[in-house]
Amino acid sequence: MNMQSWLDQNIGGRHGNFIDGEWQHVAKAVAVPNAARRDQVLGHFAESTAEDVERAVSSAHRAWKTWREVPGPERGAILFRAADIIERRAEELAFVVSAEQGKILVESRGEVGRAVKELRFAAGEASRMEGHTQPSEKRNGFAMTFREPIGVIGSIAPWNFPVLTPVRKIGPALAYGCTTVFKPSDLTPWSSVKLMEVFKEAGVPKGVINLVLGTGRGTGEALVRHPLVRGISFTGSTKTGTEINAQAARRLVRTQLELGGKNPAVVLGYADVANIAKQISSAAFTTTGQRCTAVSRVIVLQSLADELTEALAAEIAAIKVGPAWDPSSKMGPLVTDQHRASVLRNVASGLDQGARIRFGGRVLEDGELALGNFLEPTLIDNVSPENLLAKHEVFGPVLSMIAVRDVNEAFEVANSVEYGLAASIFTRDVDEALRFVRESESGMVHVNHGTNSEAHMPFGGIKGSGLGAYSIGHSNQEFFTNLKSAYFQG
Ligand code: NAD
C-alpha cells in the first residue's frame, strides 16, 4: 500500500494517554497536521494535565516494584519481541513518521530500522547489568558491587526522530529494570501512540510504560517536578535541557541530557572532492538538517575552499525537495511553518553580518509545495567565525562555509562554539586526524566520513550539547542504575 492511501484510511483518530496499560479517555485534544500538507489533519491528541501526569507516575511507580524483580533475561525477551514487532510494522511506522515529521520515506524507513537495532542492543543489556567482586579485608569475607534500577524515569523527546528517540529511551529504561513515563513532542505524538501498541503487544506489563501527551509547559514540567520520578532522560534544545537540569538538581534527581549541536566538518585534504561533497551534503541535509548531529559548518582551508564550494553546490543542486509520498523527493519540508520562519530569520541575520548565499535559500511554494513548510537546501559562504551562522544552532537545511588559513585556525574555529556534540575531519594525513580526535571538543568524532553514529556505540555530547551518561551504548547503565556495594562474611 502506498503512503497516501494508508493515510486516507488511518487518519482522523482521537488519541489519549496510555496509563496503567489502558488507553485513557480524551478530555482536551489538539489537532496535528501533516507536515507536508497543512490541510490534512492526522488526528487529535490529548493535552495532558498535571493530574494525568500524577496518575501515570503513580502507575509507573507501582509497576516498578514488580518489574525490577523480573529476571533481566526475561525483561530482555519482551524487548526482543518488541523489536520484532517494530520490524513487522516498519512500513506503517515509516508512514506515520513521514506524515507528522515530514522526512522522506527512505529516511523514515532508515529511522525505524535503526530503532530496531538499538532496541535489540538495549534488550541484550538486560543480561549485562554487571558489578564486580573484590577481596574483602576480612578472612572468609568477600565484597561485591552490583547494579539496581533507579526507579521511575521521566522521558522527554523532541520531534525530529519520533520513533527512534522514544525507543532509545524506553528500551534501556525497561532493560535495566526501570519503568517510565514518556512524553513525546506535541508536534509528533502519533508515532508514540503506535509504539505503545507495539510494547503492549510484546507483553510489557501494565504500568511499566506510560505515555502522556502534551506540551512542555503543561505536561513536561509536571513530569520533571514529580517527586516519584528518580531520573530524567531528556533530548531537546540546550535551553530547555538547562532549565530541566536546574529543576532536577533541587531534588538530587539524575539527568541524561542530549542537547543541541553546531557540528563542524573540518576539511584539510582529500583525494576526491566529489566524494567529500557527497558525504558532507548527506550529513548536512538528511532530515532537512533537523538532526542534532547534522553538519552545519564546513571549516575548510582557503586553498581548497573554491573547489569544495563548487562541488557542494553541485551536490546540493541535485537534492529535489518534495513530500515524502513522492518517490523522487530527496528532502522533505521543515516540521512547522514557525520553525521555517525561525530558520529564515537566522539566515537573514547571517547575511546581514556579511555572509553570502551560494545556493538555495528560497521558500518553495509552487503547486502542492505551498501546503507544506518547504525550503531549498541552502549553502552559504563568506561566513566569518563570529557570524551567527557559525555559532548558533539553526536546525534546518543550511550549511555554512568558513575558510581558514591553516590547520591551527581550523581546529580553533571548530572548538569555538558553545556546543560539543559531533565533529568530522576529512584529511589524508594520519597525524592531523589523530590530533583532531584528541583536540576536538566534542562527544563524538568522525574521521573521513560524515557525522553518522552506530546503534551500539555511546552517543552524547559535552559542553552545551549534553550532560550525564551517554545513551545508546553500555554507558546507559550509568544513568539507569545505581551502584550498590555489599559485604559478605562467611
Ligand atoms: P525543545 O527543547 O523545545 O523540546 C524538547 C521536548 O521538551 C519536547 O517534548 C517539549 O515539549 C519538552 N519541553 C519543553 N519545555 C519543557 C519544560 N520546561 N519542561 C519539560 N519539558 C519541556 O526541543 P525541540 O524543538 O523539540 O527539538 C529540537 C532540539 O533538540 C534541537 O536543539 C536539537 O539539537 C535537539 N536534539 C538533540 C539531540 C541529541 O541527541 N543531542 C537529538 C535530537 C534533537
Side-chain angles (χ1 to χ4, degrees), residues 83-418:
D84 292 346
I85 298 168
I86 293 177
E87 209 163 44
R88 195 185 76 221
R89 294 178 63 173
E91 194 65 355
E92 170 195 357
L93 286 165
F95 291 159
V96 171
V97 169
S98 282
E100 63 181 356
Q101 202 283 332
K103 66 183 71 172
I104 56 170
L105 270 176
V106 177
E107 293 170 347
S108 296
R109 290 182 186 125
E111 175 177 343
V112 174
R114 171 67 179 251
V116 170
K117 276 191 186 179
E118 288 194 21
L119 189 51
R120 288 192 175 133
F121 179 85
E125 282 293 278
S127 303
R128 290 191 289 263
M129 286 171 71
E130 64 206 15
H132 55 268
T133 53
Q134 285 180 202
S136 167
E137 289 177 355
K138 302 184 188 76
R139 284 172 194 277
N140 292 329
F142 65 98
M144 62 187 278
T145 64
F146 57 97
R147 293 272 168 186
E148 293 183 327
I150 66 174
V152 178
I153 306 294
S155 308
I156 302 178
W159 43 261
N160 56 345
F161 286 90
V163 161
L164 181 57
T165 315
V167 165
R168 187 174 289 174
K169 295 185 182 304
I170 293 168
L174 271 52
Y176 294 118
C178 298
T179 57
T180 190
V181 176
F182 178 74
K183 192 202 92 61
S185 165
D186 51 328
L187 301 180
T188 53
W190 198 12
S191 303
S192 292
V193 167
K194 291 281 169 198
L195 285 173
M196 292 304 116
E197 295 169 5
V198 166
F199 284 112
K200 189 173 183 177
E201 186 187 337
V204 172
K206 69 175 191 172
V208 171
I209 309 179
N210 301 272
L211 175 73
V212 288
L213 303 169
T215 60
R217 293 276 168 227
T219 313
E221 277 187 13
L223 185 55
V224 169
R225 285 168 199 261
H226 198 290
L228 291 176
V229 169
R230 294 310 312 157
I232 295 159
S233 180
F234 170 82
T235 303
S237 63
T238 300
K239 181 172 174 291
T240 310
T242 307
E243 274 178 38
I244 287 178
N245 199 53
Q247 276 293 336
R250 287 204 190 108
R251 294 197 290 114
L252 294 182
V253 160
R254 193 178 292 173
T255 54
Q256 177 181 53
L257 305 177
E258 306 204 321
L259 310 176
K262 188 72 196 173
N263 312 295
V266 174
V267 182
L268 302 178
Y270 43 72
D272 175 359
V273 70
N275 177 271
I276 301 290
K278 198 180 272 307
Q279 296 204 49
I280 294 177
S281 166
S282 160
F285 298 107
T286 303
T287 314
T288 319
Q290 302 163 116
R291 280 194 317 137
C292 56
T293 50
V295 165
S296 57
R297 302 181 284 158
V298 177
I299 300 168
V300 57
L301 294 180
Q302 263 154 12
S303 53
L304 304 173
D306 285 346
E307 185 184 48
L308 182 63
T309 309
E310 294 287 311
L312 275 167
E315 191 62 40
I316 295 167
I319 298 176
K320 183 173 175 286
V321 179
W325 54 85
D326 177 347
S328 69
S329 299
K330 296 277 183 272
M331 190 178 96
L334 287 147
V335 68
T336 59
D337 198 18
Q338 294 91 311
H339 186 51
R340 179 174 61 178
S342 143
V343 170
L344 288 168
R345 274 197 304 278
N346 281 304
V347 170
S349 303
L351 300 181
D352 282 348
Q353 293 169 21
R356 184 176 56 185
I357 290 190
R358 282 296 294 255
F359 185 88
R362 283 180 311 137
V363 164
L364 294 169
E365 292 179 308
D366 288 348
E368 66 172 358
L369 296 189
L371 290 171
N373 319 304
F374 293 96
L375 178 65
E376 281 179 328
T378 304
L379 181 65
I380 299 189
D381 73 354
N382 218 30
V383 177
S384 73
E386 293 73 39
N387 191 300
L388 170 140
L389 291 173
K391 299 260 181 206
H392 183 73
E393 185 188 43
V394 176
F395 217 55
V398 179
L399 182 59
S400 298
M401 305 289 298
I402 305 167
V404 291
R405 285 184 307 275
D406 54 26
V407 180
N408 289 341
E409 190 186 359
F411 288 7
E412 195 183 309
V413 170
N415 288 336
S416 69
V417 293
E418 69 165 300

